[in-house]
Amino acid sequence: MKILIADDHELQRKVLGARLRRHGHTVIEASDGAEAIEVLKEQKVEALVSDILMPKVDGYELCLEIRKSPKFSRLPVVLYSAIYTSPDDEKAALASGADVFFRKPIVEDELLLSLDNLISRRRRRPRTRILSKKKTVLKEYSARLVDKLEETIAGLEAKKQQLEKSEERFRMLLNTVSAAVFIYQRDRILYANRWAQELTEFTLDELLQRKPGDVIHPKDRELAERRLFMGTAIADVSSRISVRMVAKDGRMHWLDFSASPIHYDGKKAVIGTAFDITERKEAEAHLRESEERYRGLVENSLGLICIHDTQGRLLTVNPAAAQSLGYRSDEMIGKNLKEFLAPSARGLFGEYLERISKTGMDNGNMRILTREGQERTWFYHNVRLQRPDQTEYVLGHALDVTDQRETDERLRKSEEQLRMIIDAEPECVKITTEDGIVHQMNPAGLAMLEASDESMVLGKSVYDVIAPEYHEKYRDLTASVFKEKPGLLEFEIIGIV
């Protein structure tokens, strides 16, 4: 089985890959969701295993892109995370199109069993298209990340108060908290716990030979000197800021850094507690980018994207759609959608509101009236949603299908006329594939074969009713016709066997 692993943590990616290879699987690696999408375009894989929190394109967005692609919609997808572990996080993963969700660390046997089951069901599963709102998903998991960080910080503050009772207990517990802790004076670092050493990639001896500002990004040092007391006198106040840190290998990390004055070995010092919020910062940046893309999509979409309340009053309308009807957005907002329907359709608007109130979703065709009085046909798909304050509203999306419907109607009439001409032709007229399978035959042809109806010839080979000595010439004629070179051939038929 060829499996694609997407994870921006190289070590975790390598470990998971080694475990899968040990069981005979072929593994392809991608460092983020964007790279995974490129791999999928170039290589055929049988399953995807992806972390959720990644730069560029995260696991949720990767899953959404896969599910809306006709090419990859059946691909088995497993999402996992060490940060998003709540039941709501699991619901969000499954809502984005994941087949299975795991919390780190992943139990190897459970992962292998899930992959085997997903691969075996792949051919039977229908194609899936996920109609999800990326903006809502990203907001939800970003909010949960902030909550978890705040809870961890609050817990750390509580621990710090307890640690002050005993210096020995203080030192012992510092190495158990999941945060980098520094004790320093303005000109030197006095102590760094295990997490601080891992984050900076300096040993304790190397850190003790440095000033606290040496691990701060040059552009943030002046701020750190003032707010974190890394170069100025220690004030009797606590401070908390976000700063960038530079590790030994040059990598940059964003830190949520809190500094508080303490007494250490009988002297005034600062205890600094730092959480690596690099992933959160990147997630926030992705969220902003997503919001900008969503805003651009809405404002420039040629179809209608609107929000109306449960009575039909328009709350938002995208500019491009309003312009296509001869209005400005502000001319439509505040009015009832019913006012813009064709007179013949207004009587059905109440039934539409009742349906969407009961089912939460409605779709179909509606007749829209432009400012100039022209009727247009729009196909709509609307869903009822709910704001955090429990207020309900309807998100609507519609496309102008007037030209398409007119084209379909002309095509239908043209096909009917062609059928009438073919049926009236006194000679045999048939439509076959290049290899001779009959798709259509007119009444004259059926009579010639003494067939009572088309079911006796449709799907069968024309060579079944042509005398064998003419088969080769008929194949040559067919090949010539499919090359757009018409020809003539007289041959003998032998009737239906």
Side-chain angles (χ1 to χ4, degrees):
M1 183 188 308
K2 183 181 287 188
I3 301 172
L4 172 60
I5 299 176
D7 196 322
D8 60 322
H9 292 283
E10 182 178 5
L11 180 59
Q12 295 181 16
R13 194 171 66 241
K14 296 293 184 185
V15 170
L16 179 57
R19 291 162 64 185
L20 293 175
R21 290 187 182 95
R22 189 167 63 246
H23 289 273
H25 298 297
T26 301
V27 175
I28 306 172
E29 296 181 12
S31 60
D32 55 57
E35 186 177 340
I37 291 173
E38 294 303 315
V39 171
L40 288 173
K41 292 178 180 178
E42 298 177 3
Q43 299 192 46
K44 182 178 180 181
V45 301
E46 297 175 77
L48 167 68
V49 181
S50 174
D51 190 14
I52 289 179
L53 192 57
M54 298 183 293
K56 297 182 181 177
V57 175
D58 60 29
Y60 288 140
E61 191 171 3
L62 173 60
C63 203
L64 290 169
E65 290 297 319
I66 288 174
R67 289 298 178 238
K68 74 181 184 180
S69 166
K71 184 177 180 181
F72 309 124
S73 61
R74 289 197 181 105
L75 181 70
V77 178
V78 175
L79 290 184
Y80 63 86
S81 179
I83 295 179
Y84 301 102
T85 58
S86 70
D88 286 340
D89 297 327
E90 182 174 1
K91 289 180 181 178
L94 298 177
S96 69
D99 296 291
V100 181
F101 172 80
F102 284 104
R103 296 167 180 83
K104 292 182 182 178
I106 302 176
V107 178
E108 184 173 330
D109 291 343
E110 293 181 4
L111 174 62
L112 292 169
L113 180 60
S114 294
L115 288 171
D116 289 340
N117 290 337
L118 291 173
I119 290 298
S120 65
R121 298 201 310 262
R122 179 180 183 182
R123 293 183 179 275
R124 299 194 300 272
R125 70 176 291 174
R127 293 191 179 274
T128 304
R129 295 185 66 84
I130 301 296
L131 298 176
S132 182
K133 302 294 178 286
K134 292 190 287 183
K135 178 180 177 182
T136 301
V137 174
L138 290 172
K139 278 187 175 179
E140 289 177 354
Y141 77 71
S142 180
R144 290 195 287 275
L145 176 58
V146 172
D147 291 342
K148 290 174 184 177
L149 288 174
E150 290 177 347
E151 292 172 2
T152 306
I153 293 171
L156 180 60
E157 290 296 328
K159 286 182 180 180
K160 187 178 71 172
Q161 293 177 5
Q162 297 174 2
L163 292 175
E164 290 174 347
K165 297 177 181 178
S166 168
E167 185 174 344
E168 184 63 29
R169 185 182 175 196
F170 175 78
R171 286 179 175 273
M172 179 183 66
L173 293 179
L174 277 179
N175 281 320
T176 67
V177 296
S178 57
V181 178
F182 301 88
I183 298 176
Y184 58 88
Q185 294 171 334
R186 63 180 182 177
D187 58 346
R188 64 191 181 110
I189 296 174
L190 305 174
Y191 171 80
N193 72 341
R194 177 171 57 88
W195 286 104
Q197 297 169 48
E198 291 186 6
L199 185 63
T200 63
E201 299 185 355
F202 287 110
T203 65
L204 179 58
D205 289 339
E206 289 174 327
L207 286 171
L208 296 181
Q209 297 174 21
R210 282 169 167 74
K211 296 179 180 180
D214 291 346
V215 298
I216 303 298
H217 193 283
K219 293 185 178 181
D220 292 343
R221 283 177 188 166
E222 190 274 333
L223 177 64
E225 288 176 359
R226 289 188 292 105
R227 298 288 302 278
L228 303 177
F229 321 121
M230 292 184 174
T232 60
I234 301 172
D236 292 328
V237 294
S238 297
S239 180
R240 177 183 172 186
I241 60 173
S242 296
V243 293
R244 288 166 290 182
M245 184 213 74
V246 181
K248 186 177 181 178
D249 65 357
R251 286 186 301 167
M252 190 271 289
H253 298 270
W254 273 100
L255 302 180
D256 182 344
F257 204 113
S258 299
S260 300
I262 62 169
H263 281 83
Y264 185 81
D265 287 343
K267 297 181 180 180
K268 203 169 187 179
V270 177
I271 180 169
T273 307
F275 290 88
D276 188 348
I277 58 171
T278 305
E279 292 182 345
R280 190 189 81 186
K281 286 285 188 178
E282 292 173 346
E284 290 172 350
H286 294 324
L287 177 59
R288 288 192 296 271
E289 292 175 3
S290 177
E291 290 175 341
E292 291 174 0
R293 290 195 297 268
Y294 177 77
R295 187 179 301 109
L297 174 65
V298 170
E299 292 181 352
N300 297 295
S301 174
L302 295 180
L304 171 67
I305 299 178
C306 71
I307 294 176
H308 69 72
D309 63 17
T310 54
Q311 302 303 312
R313 184 171 64 91
L314 290 168
L315 305 177
T316 65
V317 179
N318 63 313
Q323 184 179 5
S324 70
L325 297 176
Y327 297 97
R328 299 189 311 273
S329 294
D330 59 350
E331 292 179 303
M332 298 182 68
I333 293 173
K335 296 182 179 179
N336 199 289
L337 177 59
K338 181 178 180 180
E339 298 179 33
F340 300 96
L341 297 181
S344 59
R346 291 173 185 170
L348 303 174
F349 191 67
E351 297 178 10
Y352 153 75
L353 291 177
E354 184 177 352
R355 285 196 306 273
I356 205 164
S357 176
K358 289 182 178 179
T359 67
M361 181 182 70
D362 195 46
N363 57 61
N365 293 317
M366 61 179 174
R367 298 291 290 173
I368 296 291
L369 199 64
T370 68
R371 183 189 287 271
E372 291 75 20
Q374 180 186 15
E375 288 194 13
R376 307 288 295 179
T377 301
W378 286 32
F379 177 79
Y380 69 90
H381 181 91
N382 297 357
V383 293
R384 190 185 76 248
L385 301 172
Q386 193 175 70
R387 293 190 175 94
D389 63 0
Q390 306 303 309
T391 302
E392 292 186 342
Y393 65 95
V394 175
L395 176 63
H397 180 241
L399 295 174
D400 189 338
V401 296
T402 307
D403 295 339
Q404 178 184 338
R405 287 172 63 88
E406 292 175 353
T407 300
D408 291 344
E409 181 62 19
R410 288 196 298 270
L411 179 60
R412 184 188 65 79
K413 291 181 178 179
S414 177
E415 290 176 345
E416 289 179 354
Q417 292 173 353
L418 179 60
R419 180 75 187 200
M420 291 174 60
I421 293 173
I422 292 176
D423 288 348
E425 173 62 38
E427 299 293 334
C428 174
V429 178
K430 62 186 179 300
I431 298 177
T432 70
T433 62
E434 189 171 1
D435 56 358
I437 301 301
V438 178
H439 280 190
Q440 183 178 338
M441 183 174 290
N442 70 338
L446 296 176
M448 187 179 297
L449 297 176
E450 298 181 351
S452 58
D453 57 62
E454 277 190 323
S455 65
M456 298 180 67
V457 297
L458 296 185
K460 297 181 180 180
S461 176
V462 71
Y463 294 100
D464 293 341
V465 298
I466 296 177
E469 60 267 27
Y470 293 98
H471 284 188
E472 184 175 352
K473 291 183 179 180
Y474 191 86
R475 287 192 180 93
D476 292 341
L477 175 63
T478 301
S480 176
V481 169
F482 272 87
K483 293 179 182 178
E484 300 183 358
K485 297 179 180 179
L488 297 173
L489 176 67
E490 293 185 1
F491 54 90
E492 179 183 352
I493 61 172
I494 57 178
I496 297 176
V497 179

